[in-house]
C-alpha cells in the first residue's frame, strides 16, 4: 500500500481491514507520508505498537 492510501484509511469514518505483511490484523495510528512510514497497533493490544514501512500494509 502507499502512504496516501494508508492515510485515507486512517482518516476514514468506517473501519477498513488492514493487515501487516498480509497476516496480522492491525490498526493504523499515524501515517508519515513523507517518509512512507506508519505507526500501527498489532491486533487489539494498545501496548503493542510498531513503526513500519507502509508497503508492508495490505488492505484486506
Amino acid at each position: 500500500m502507499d502512504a496516501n492510501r494508508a492515510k485515507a484509511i486512517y482518516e476514514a469514518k468506517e473501519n477498513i481491514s488492514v493487515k501487516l505483511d498480509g497476516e496480522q490484523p492491525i490498526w493504523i495510528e499515524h501515517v508519515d507520508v513523507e517518509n512512507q512510514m506508519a505507526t500501527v497497533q498489532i491486533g487489539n493490544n494498545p501496548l503493542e505498537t510498531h513503526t513500519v514501512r507502509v508497503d508492508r500494509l495490505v488492505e484486506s
Side-chain angles (χ1 to χ4, degrees):
M1 151 177 331
D2 69 25
N4 290 319
R5 180 61 185 147
K7 186 172 182 174
I9 290 171
Y10 171 72
E11 294 172 346
K13 293 188 185 335
E14 68 275 2
N15 289 335
I16 299 171
S17 178
V18 178
K19 293 185 177 180
L20 178 62
D21 298 327
E23 297 175 11
Q24 296 178 295
I26 58 99
W27 293 98
I28 299 172
E29 295 191 344
H30 175 75
V31 179
D32 179 349
V33 174
E34 185 176 317
N35 292 308
Q36 300 286 305
M37 301 294 283
T39 301
V40 301
Q41 173 186 313
I42 307 294
N44 293 322
N45 185 350
L47 299 177
E48 190 171 354
T49 60
H50 299 276
T51 301
V52 298
R53 294 185 47 80
V54 293
D55 61 7
R56 292 181 61 194
L57 305 180
V58 178
E59 188 171 350
S60 47

